[in-house]
Amino acid sequence: MADFFGKTYRYGKKVIGVQCAKNPDLFMVCHKTAGGYKQFKPIPVCLNVEKAQTMLDTYAIKKGLEEVTHAG
């Protein structure tokens, strides 16, 4: 998804992915809400996008989450 960095996954009815936290030097796994983004609490905030994406990918594999793909 264009709103997220890297891969995104379906978690129930939500799509989760990596986005900047309120502090631009931090990254979090989150889902989109009507007012912005909400942190996905099972994965902590990270200091870089690569670490956040790795943690998300690992979580997705462990939980069997489906990757969300979008045709461009």
Side-chain angles (χ1 to χ4, degrees), residues 3-71:
D3 295 320
F4 295 107
F5 298 104
K7 294 180 182 179
T8 58
Y9 297 92
R10 184 151 318 281
Y11 184 79
K13 294 182 180 180
K14 300 171 184 167
V15 174
I16 57 174
V18 177
Q19 183 58 263
C20 288
K22 288 182 181 179
N23 177 336
D25 295 328
L26 298 175
F27 297 88
M28 64 181 180
V29 174
C30 58
H31 63 89
K32 200 168 189 177
T33 66
Y37 295 93
K38 182 172 179 166
Q39 183 184 356
F40 184 68
K41 295 290 185 176
I43 301 175
V45 174
C46 298
L47 293 175
N48 63 59
V49 69
E50 294 84 7
K51 178 68 174 174
Q53 187 67 56
T54 298
M55 292 178 79
L56 173 56
D57 293 340
T58 301
Y59 183 87
I61 290 168
K62 182 178 177 183
K63 297 293 186 177
L65 302 182
E66 172 189 2
E67 184 179 347
V68 177
T69 57
H70 300 275

